[in-house]
């Protein structure tokens, strides 16, 4: 009996490489102003919600969804002026990134990113057993052409991640850098444009060149501009030959019918979304100007968030983060990320949330 109980209580060993890893978390605390996860501050328009509910009546609940998500892919292709075969859709752009790692990465293959950047590149690459290389950017958080060249020459990555605008610095990459990466890297070049709608430049334009790039993938999400972080929908634009390969690694029917409908209905509200982008850009400039006025270092952002460094005030990032929290304002504390000592990242919220944040920051610095 005792022996049997022992057998039941035995924990199977987790993969040894996973045992050393920790998960990716942003602490969620109950606060009045939550500016820590770069979501849109407003829900989608009212009309979206009623149109979505109306479309739901057409869903065949007892049937599996359209496995190819054909209609959604056609709508996205029209939006970006590419072919539907150049669009792959998944449960958030994180799942797109995972699909890329499963297709192009894996054991014995290298995934390279330039830190500080979105930590999920390394996290997903590790869980898919890639060799992970993280190359530091220069002191202004730029990837200079010599940093890029050396990284490619030394590491010959099968997957190279660029994030434009970069999370958490908010800074965009240049088209020249993306071109250089495509022409020099031996493998796939991923440009993560989760915040692409807020930026002046999109790498998607490169697909209209002749000949179009064969090794470029540009990822996008509905989680930010489209105000749909709750839905988990993302996609990528890529050369059409990749679609067949992605279908081998993704689970059958991975994208449910309801989500496909949500994405298609959201795309009908493109103009409203563009309007929100300009409102957020306006608020972002207000935050940048006031943070600079308070004497802190702030980076010019092209995203829906701003990164600042607290040290000119004589206070550490941890201290300012705590003081903001005491005033019920939650921002992202990046102080422990490589190269980001005393840096905080604040998501652009509603005008009143931003005003509350700026007032709390001013008080926190006193
Ligand atoms: N890329 C970047 C740079 C991000 O900041 C995020 C979200 N924090 C994602 C991808 C993932 O977004 P999604 O919600 O589409 O999975």
């Amino acid at each position: 009996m005792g022996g049997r109980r022992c057998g039941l209580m035995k924990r199977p060993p987790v993969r040894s490489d996973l045992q050393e890893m920790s998960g990716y978390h942003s602490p969620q605390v109950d606060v009045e102003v939550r500016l820590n996860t770069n979501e849109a501050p407003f829900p989608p328009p009212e009309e979206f919600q009623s149109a979505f509910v109306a479309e739901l009546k057409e869903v065949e609940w007892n049937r599996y969804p359209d496995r190819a998500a054909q209609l959604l892919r056609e709508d996205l292709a029209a939006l970006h002026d590419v072919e539907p075969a150049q669009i792959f859709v998944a449960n958030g752009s994180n799942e797109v990134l995972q699909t890329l790692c499963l297709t192009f990465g894996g054991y014995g293959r290298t995934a390279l990113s330039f830190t500080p950047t979105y930590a999920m590149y390394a996290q997903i690459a590790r869980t898919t057993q890639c060799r992970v290389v993280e190359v530091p950017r220069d002191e202004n958080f730029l990837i200079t052409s010599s940093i890029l060249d050396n990284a490619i020459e030394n590491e010959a990555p099968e997957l190279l991640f660029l994030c434009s605008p970069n999370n958490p610095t908010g800074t965009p990459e240049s088209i020249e850098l993306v071109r250089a990466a495509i022409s020099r890297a031996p493998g796939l070049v991923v440009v993560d444009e989760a915040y692409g709608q807020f930026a002046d430049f999109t790498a998607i334009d490169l697909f209209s060149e002749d000949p179009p790039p064969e090794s470029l993938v540009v990822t996008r999400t509905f989680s930010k501009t489209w105000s749909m972080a709750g839905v988990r929908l993302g996609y990528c634009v890529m050369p059409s030959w990749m679609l067949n390969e992605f279908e081998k690694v993704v689970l059958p029917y991975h994208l449910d019918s309801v989500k496909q409908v949500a994405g298609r209905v959201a795309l009908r509200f493109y103009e409203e979304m563009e309007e929100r982008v300009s409102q957020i850009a306006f608020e972002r400039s207000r935050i940048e100007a006031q943070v600079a006025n308070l004497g802190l270092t702030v980076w010019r952002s092209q995203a829906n968030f701003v990164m600042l460094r607290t040290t000119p005030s004589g206070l550490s990032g941890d201290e300012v983060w705590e003081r903001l929290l005491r005033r019920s304002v939650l921002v992202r504390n990046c102080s422990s990320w490589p190269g980001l000592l005393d840096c905080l990242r604040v998501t652009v919220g509603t005008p009143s949330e931003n005003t509350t944040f700026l007032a709390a920051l001013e008080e926190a610095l006193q």
Side-chain angles (χ1 to χ4, degrees):
M1 189 65 188
R4 236 165 69 206
R5 192 180 309 133
C6 259
L8 282 177
M9 290 169 67
K10 199 168 65 195
R11 290 189 184 185
V14 169
R15 254 168 51 188
S16 55
D17 55 337
L18 283 189
Q19 285 172 22
E20 288 146 29
M21 284 175 63
S22 48
Y24 176 82
H25 302 290
S26 175
Q28 289 301 1
V29 192
D30 204 11
V31 286
E32 270 159 45
V33 177
R34 197 149 64 84
L35 302 175
N36 67 329
T37 46
N38 297 344
E39 293 147 328
F42 325 99
E46 280 289 321
E47 301 78 25
F48 162 86
Q49 300 184 34
S50 40
F52 174 58
V53 171
E55 290 283 339
L56 281 182
K57 299 207 174 76
E58 305 299 319
V59 169
E60 287 190 280
W61 298 94
N62 56 322
R63 300 288 174 201
Y64 281 115
D66 172 17
R67 192 166 171 170
Q70 186 62 27
L71 297 175
L72 176 57
R73 288 182 31 250
E74 281 173 12
D75 290 353
L76 286 165
L79 178 69
H80 293 299
D81 206 13
V82 296
E83 296 300 318
Q86 289 180 264
I87 304 282
F88 169 74
V89 198
N91 295 285
S93 53
N94 278 337
E95 196 185 42
V96 176
L97 297 171
Q98 187 182 50
T99 304
L100 298 175
C101 285
L102 288 168
T103 310
F104 292 96
Y107 184 72
R109 292 186 158 218
T110 298
L112 189 145
S113 61
F114 296 93
T115 51
T117 193
Y118 184 46
M120 284 305 290
Y121 307 134
Q123 178 86 7
I124 298 173
R126 283 197 183 97
T127 57
T128 53
Q129 304 220 310
C130 302
R131 171 179 165 256
V132 171
V133 177
E134 296 184 283
V135 174
R137 292 161 185 254
D138 78 357
E139 62 287 355
N140 299 315
F141 302 128
L142 292 175
I143 308 169
T144 59
S145 69
S146 68
I147 291 179
L148 178 78
D149 288 353
N150 288 338
I152 292 175
E153 193 166 320
N154 296 338
E155 309 294 346
E158 276 82 11
L159 281 139
L160 185 144
F161 290 101
L162 299 173
C163 186
S164 184
N166 186 40
N167 179 6
T169 56
T171 46
E173 300 309 341
S174 68
I175 181 135
E176 290 77 24
L177 185 95
V178 177
R179 276 188 211 282
I182 297 170
S183 70
R184 290 175 209 155
L188 187 73
V189 174
V190 182
V191 182
D192 179 347
E193 293 190 352
Y195 306 95
Q197 289 95 333
F198 300 98
D200 296 341
F201 146 73
T202 168
I204 296 176
D205 290 345
L206 295 175
F207 288 107
S208 57
E209 295 191 348
D210 189 21
E214 287 290 341
S215 59
L216 172 69
V217 170
V218 183
T219 62
R220 289 276 178 122
T221 180
F222 279 74
S223 300
K224 317 292 174 184
T225 325
W226 292 98
S227 298
M228 288 194 358
V231 170
R232 311 301 300 125
L233 183 59
Y235 62 98
C236 65
V237 185
M238 79 262 177
S240 53
W241 66 267
M242 288 183 193
L243 188 59
N244 193 27
E245 307 304 324
F246 295 163
E247 280 167 0
K248 295 177 197 170
V249 300
V250 80
L251 296 173
Y253 309 112
H254 70 293
L255 206 73
D256 67 70
S257 306
V258 172
K259 190 169 304 192
Q260 295 185 30
V261 169
R264 295 190 62 212
V265 174
L267 292 173
R268 293 189 214 150
F269 295 88
Y270 184 77
E271 275 171 25
E272 285 83 345
M273 295 303 170
E274 285 288 287
E275 171 61 33
R276 286 155 178 236
V277 169
S278 9
Q279 275 177 38
I280 287 176
F282 177 82
E283 281 294 303
R284 180 182 69 205
S285 313
R286 184 164 79 93
I287 295 174
E288 284 173 344
Q290 295 214 28
V291 170
N293 268 344
L294 292 172
L296 306 185
T297 310
V298 57
W299 281 265
R300 288 305 303 275
S301 165
Q302 282 200 13
N304 66 339
F305 56 84
V306 173
M307 193 176 79
L308 58 94
R309 180 167 265 154
T310 62
T311 23
S313 70
L315 292 170
S316 72
D318 289 344
E319 180 61 38
V320 176
W321 184 82
E322 288 280 350
R323 290 185 184 189
L324 288 171
L325 195 59
R326 268 184 249 136
R327 289 165 176 82
S328 209
V329 176
L330 179 63
V331 301
R332 191 70 184 261
N333 187 358
C334 306
S335 293
S336 63
W337 301 14
L340 293 184
L341 188 64
D342 300 318
C343 288
L344 304 179
R345 189 196 68 193
V346 50
T347 305
V348 179
T350 60
S352 87
E353 285 173 332
N354 301 332
T355 302
T356 307
F357 159 72
L358 288 165
L361 182 64
E362 190 168 358
E363 276 176 34
L365 295 176
Q366 274 154 22

